Amino acid sequence: MKKSLIASVIALATLGSAHAKDIVDTAVAAGSFKTLATALQAAGLVDTLKGKGPFTVFAPTDEAFAKVPKADLDALLKDKAKLTAVLTYHVVPGKVMAADVKAGKVKTVQGSEITVSTMGGVKVDAANVVKTDIAADNGVIHVIDSVIMPK
């Protein structure tokens, strides 16, 4: 009896501590979004993307950020207003799973619209969506192969 009570308490404690991760924690755990995580910190957007949401994030990988010339990326990381605009351009309000994606214009958190196309794979502006539906407790991440810039 005593052993089963202790086992139950341990099981409940483990269950209580195992919770889904938010978008930021999910991206960091994936290991391929170090530059994105650095940029989110520099822009002061970590707490926002840890918030209630839901958010759909088109997340550029480290390889995607590597396509941006180093001088341009360094300048962007130092310009908080421009960096915030670029990062929020990658975020759409709501949780849009891959099965629900439709071609057309979609308003971003930044305020501009991204163009989603579904011919020959899904594209967001000029970026290819390379992985979809990475669930987080406050939204979803779709991985893209390029950094997209607001017009």
Side-chain angles (χ1 to χ4, degrees):
M1 175 81 174
K2 196 173 187 180
K3 280 185 183 178
S4 65
L5 180 63
I6 292 171
S8 296
V9 169
I10 291 171
L12 281 173
T14 304
L15 263 177
S17 65
H19 64 85
K21 294 179 179 169
D22 59 51
I23 285 176
V24 175
D25 291 341
T26 301
V28 168
S32 56
F33 301 104
K34 291 179 181 76
T35 307
L36 178 60
T38 299
L40 289 170
Q41 278 189 313
L45 292 173
V46 171
D47 288 341
T48 301
L49 288 178
K50 283 181 158 291
K52 186 176 178 188
F55 305 105
T56 298
V57 177
F58 294 99
T61 61
D62 292 333
E63 289 176 0
F65 275 103
K67 293 178 184 178
V68 177
K70 183 169 176 16
D72 293 350
L73 184 59
D74 289 345
L76 183 63
L77 289 170
K78 291 177 182 155
D79 184 342
K80 187 174 180 177
K82 189 171 182 184
L83 180 60
T84 300
V86 169
L87 293 173
T88 55
Y89 186 68
H90 288 78
V91 182
V92 174
K95 185 175 185 175
V96 183
M97 302 304 282
D100 301 322
V101 170
K102 292 176 179 54
K105 302 269 186 196
V106 180
K107 191 167 180 118
T108 67
V109 170
Q110 182 260 355
S112 299
E113 293 179 328
I114 54 174
T115 301
V116 178
S117 62
T118 55
M119 300 288 280
V122 177
K123 282 188 157 231
V124 179
D125 285 350
N128 294 300
V129 177
V130 295
K131 188 170 184 185
T132 61
D133 295 346
I134 301 170
D137 66 358
N138 63 342
V140 63
I141 299 169
H142 301 297
V143 181
I144 57 176
D145 66 355
S146 300
V147 177
I148 55 176
M149 298 288 186
K151 292 156 188 72

